[in-house]
Amino acid sequence: QVQLVESGGGLVQAGGSLRLSCTASGLRNDFDTYTMGWFRQAPGKEREGVSYISLSGGTTYYADSVKGRFTVSRDNAKDTLYLQMNSLKPDDTAMYYCAASFRGGRWYQERAFAYWGQGTQVTVSS
């Protein structure tokens, strides 16, 4: 059974930083054979893609709203995905989800990934 467990969320003031982690287990193949992504969903809004990272980490994509502030990375030896979030804004407040196994299409669309974590809440106060 595939499990993606996110951690690192919390309450932070605007301008602050958080580092999210996502640890994978139960994958059929090695972690480094799965393209990964981060998504977020604010209350009343659709889930949106935040970032994408390729198998080795050599290719990354970001939503325009987070470019220059967020950095995605992965440690394949630890089966772990990260999202470093700096200069946080109140608009970044959302539940953040880790996703695995890109199935094709547009990376920022929810249907592009097969496996999902339960999410970790990020709240940014003004």
Side-chain angles (χ1 to χ4, degrees):
Q1 182 178 354
V2 176
Q3 279 196 314
L4 301 175
V5 180
E6 302 95 336
S7 61
L11 174 63
V12 64
Q13 288 189 332
S17 298
L18 284 174
R19 188 195 195 201
L20 305 184
S21 299
C22 169
T23 301
S25 63
L27 294 170
R28 180 175 298 181
N29 301 307
D30 290 342
F31 181 73
D32 61 5
T33 65
Y34 292 88
T35 304
M36 304 292 293
W38 284 102
F39 284 71
R40 67 186 181 185
Q41 187 168 18
K45 295 187 177 181
E46 292 186 355
R47 193 171 296 190
E48 62 175 358
V50 173
S51 185
Y52 162 106
I53 186 166
S54 62
L55 304 180
S56 65
T59 298
T60 56
Y61 301 132
Y62 297 93
D64 287 344
S65 59
V66 307
K67 279 180 183 176
R69 301 187 298 121
F70 290 11
T71 302
V72 63
S73 61
R74 63 191 297 165
D75 185 337
N76 288 336
K78 296 182 178 180
D79 294 352
T80 302
L81 174 73
Y82 302 100
L83 185 68
Q84 178 66 43
M85 304 187 297
N86 298 329
S87 302
L88 283 161
K89 305 174 182 180
D91 284 349
D92 295 318
T93 295
M95 185 72 78
Y96 282 72
Y97 299 90
C98 167
S101 191
F102 180 63
R103 300 189 287 195
R106 294 178 172 84
W107 69 267
Y108 48 84
Q109 293 181 326
E110 187 174 354
R111 62 175 178 264
F113 286 85
Y115 303 115
W116 293 86
Q118 294 299 308
T120 185
Q121 178 67 39
V122 171
T123 303
V124 184
S125 63
S126 57

